[in-house]
Amino acid sequence: MSDVSGAARWFGPSADLGAPRAPPHATWLACLIALVALLVLGNLANDTTLDVKYGWDVRVNCAAVDAHVDGLDPYFVRNLKGTRLSYPYLPVTLDAFRPLCARGFLVGHYRSVYLVLAVLCGLLLPGLRGTRASPRDVALRVLCALGAFVGFEWVAASGNFAVLSGMLTAVALALLLRPGAPDVRDDQGFVARLAGAALLGLVMSFKLVFCPVLAALYFLPLPRRRKFILIAVAGFSFALPILISMLFYPDLFSSWLLAIKGQIPNQHSVYLEETNPSLLLLARSVMDKVGLADSQPVVFATYGLAALALLLAPFAVSLLRAIGKAGDESFLTRLDRWLMDHPHAAMRVTVLAMYAFYLCSPRLKEYAFFELALYAAVLIVDLPAAMLAAMLTVAIAIPTLASITGNAFVDSFGQIAVAILCFWILLLDFCAVPKRLAQEGSRP
């Protein structure tokens, strides 16, 4: 099946793939894309003019590396120079991050380095069509990486290493979502996916709370046995840094456990109660208004219901509707066959599942929305014009305008609200046009 023309591809996929004529919505959509891009660039430039001491996370991370080099325990804040924040990563990362912190270059120039890395993330992200990416696709991915949910703005402000895990995520997605026949004989493609699964598992070990994302690998258009192998490889890669830390850094590993549990007195803690715009903290905030915030079972039950109602249940219902019913076959059998028969739609479902699982995390810091933006960037380019305009407005324009006007979702749940709304937009597109997805993704 032929792809749409360059002009039509710039402004969104069309149900009619025959005519090479630019659609009538070309002008207003081009203006919207340009306006959103100007907002994002203006917002990032405006941040550099503010009298704020940015880069607290990169200073913490490199101070921890320096403390480790000097033979001190970096999980005790008193051993970190120039900061009152704690180091949250596994002990093995202290040696892994040492080249990055050498000679203080990253601390002094992290903003420009991070900007280059964020652009590279957008360039590395894969497409789902299996065709060569157009300039429009690449531009939208880069724009989404830089502006969606103001995630990169928080990365640039804090200096958090989420930009590094974002780079690895982009490479992992490029390997996992590579085009090709979902055939058991496609050994070369499967080796690449194995590498992608291992890399994704390694990324999830940086922030352990995101490990459910690995379960989304089951939705890849592959035979069931191969999917289980991918999940096993990803799981082993996730566990490997933990095992290395336990075996080769036993004392530091004990200190790390104390630090992440908030059991080191009189210092900053990264425990779940730390302020962050997650569904768990939203549930606690709601329960606080009714006087039940001190009841952990009630708070976690509310959090689970919110994740189920807002994200997981709509995703499951949409997938069930797409698969349909066929005879007496089991659900997994029907699911596996549908995924194999519709590889484009299956890869879209995989990224949607990753997006949903990531958003369900109980600890979702502001800068983590940069990595969430990368999942959105994979999906946004295939949307029709109306859905694309809605995503640009909700995911990028509204948060950016809020940031420019000094209301950058601080101490609120604005980021997760717009991220959930964007998930519904993406899911609505998946539900509304199953024929389009089937035509674009089904095997000949």
Side-chain angles (χ1 to χ4, degrees), residues 144 148-149 213 216 311-312 315 348-361 364 369 371-379 391 394-395 415-426:
C144 196
F149 320 126
V213 171
L311 297 165
L312 302 181
F315 172 78
R348 190 172 186 83
V349 167
T350 301
V351 183
L352 273 171
M354 291 178 174
Y355 186 110
F357 292 151
Y358 195 96
L359 204 50
C360 286
S361 170
L364 194 66
F369 284 85
E371 293 180 75
L372 186 70
L374 300 183
Y375 297 116
V378 175
L379 299 169
M391 279 289 292
V394 174
Q415 280 180 299
I416 198 166
V418 296
I420 290 174
L421 185 54
C422 288
F423 177 76
W424 291 344
I425 292 172
L426 294 167

Side-chain angles (χ1 to χ4, degrees), residues 53-61 85 110-111 114 151-162 366-367:
K53 190 178 181 180
Y54 292 115
W56 51 88
D57 278 348
V58 70
R59 289 196 298 273
V60 170
N61 295 341
L85 302 177
Y110 82 93
R111 290 184 71 93
Y114 280 18
F152 177 70
E153 182 184 11
W154 279 99
V155 170
S158 65
N160 191 270
F161 280 7
E366 291 85 354
Y367 47 74

Side-chain angles (χ1 to χ4, degrees), residues 115-129:
L115 180 61
V116 172
L117 292 179
V119 172
L120 282 176
C121 286
L123 296 176
L124 289 171
L125 286 171
L128 301 181
R129 292 175 173 271

Side-chain angles (χ1 to χ4, degrees), residues 61 125-126 220 251 259 265-266 303 307 416:
N61 295 341
L125 286 171
L220 287 170
D251 294 336
N266 302 318
Y303 156 61
I416 198 166

Side-chain angles (χ1 to χ4, degrees), residues 77-349:
V77 173
R78 64 175 180 268
N79 294 328
L80 305 183
K81 296 179 182 179
T83 182
R84 296 181 179 178
L85 302 177
S86 58
Y87 184 71
Y89 302 109
L90 286 164
V92 68
T93 60
L94 292 164
D95 288 318
F97 292 159
R98 187 180 297 186
L100 300 175
C101 296
R103 300 180 180 178
F105 175 81
L106 187 61
V107 174
H109 303 86
Y110 82 93
R111 290 184 71 93
S112 56
V113 172
Y114 280 18
L115 180 61
V116 172
L117 292 179
V119 172
L120 282 176
C121 286
L123 296 176
L124 289 171
L125 286 171
L128 301 181
R129 292 175 173 271
T131 58
R132 186 175 181 179
S134 69
R136 172 263 196 188
D137 291 351
V138 175
L140 282 175
R141 290 186 193 115
V142 171
L143 178 59
C144 196
L146 290 177
F149 320 126
V150 292
F152 177 70
E153 182 184 11
W154 279 99
V155 170
S158 65
N160 191 270
F161 280 7
V163 72
L164 303 179
S165 55
M167 276 286 296
L168 297 179
T169 298
V171 175
L173 291 176
L175 293 169
L176 288 167
L177 304 177
R178 54 184 284 119
D183 198 297
V184 72
R185 296 167 295 179
D186 183 19
D187 294 327
Q188 184 176 0
F190 185 63
V191 170
R193 287 190 172 96
L194 283 174
L199 193 55
L200 188 64
L202 184 65
V203 171
M204 295 303 137
S205 71
F206 288 170
K207 302 287 179 67
L208 304 181
V209 291
F210 296 120
C211 64
V213 171
L214 301 179
L217 296 177
Y218 188 86
F219 297 107
L220 287 170
L222 296 170
R224 188 183 301 177
R225 177 176 172 273
R226 290 200 161 189
K227 290 189 289 190
F228 282 138
I229 292 175
L230 287 181
I231 293 173
V233 168
F236 175 77
S237 183
F238 171 79
L240 186 60
I242 302 174
L243 295 174
I244 292 175
S245 296
M246 291 175 61
L247 294 174
F248 296 99
Y249 306 80
D251 294 336
L252 289 179
F253 186 76
S254 298
S255 298
W256 173 76
L257 287 176
L258 292 175
I260 65 171
K261 292 178 181 179
Q263 295 177 351
I264 300 179
N266 302 318
Q267 74 173 45
H268 164 261
S269 171
V270 295
Y271 194 55
L272 291 177
E273 277 79 4
E274 185 185 44
T275 301
N276 62 87
S278 68
L279 284 176
L280 176 59
L281 269 292
L282 177 60
R284 179 174 288 118
S285 178
V286 172
M287 290 299 100
D288 185 51
K289 295 183 183 302
V290 296
L292 295 174
D294 293 333
S295 175
Q296 291 283 61
V298 172
V299 170
F300 275 90
T302 305
Y303 156 61
L305 288 174
L308 188 64
L310 297 175
L311 297 165
L312 302 181
F315 172 78
V317 170
S318 301
L319 188 58
L320 285 171
R321 288 181 57 190
I323 296 171
K325 296 182 179 180
D328 298 327
E329 291 180 322
S330 67
F331 167 72
L332 285 182
T333 301
R334 287 188 288 119
L335 174 62
D336 291 342
R337 188 173 66 249
W338 185 86
L339 294 171
M340 293 278 285
D341 290 342
H342 304 84
H344 167 72
M347 290 190 290
R348 190 172 186 83
V349 167

Side-chain angles (χ1 to χ4, degrees), residues 10-11 26-42 139-140 143 388 392 396-397 400:
W10 180 266
F11 300 105
T27 302
W28 68 261
L29 188 54
C31 291
L32 177 62
I33 294 173
L35 176 61
V36 171
L38 288 174
L39 283 174
V40 170
L41 295 177
L140 282 175
L143 178 59
L388 175 58
L392 290 172
I396 306 178
T400 302

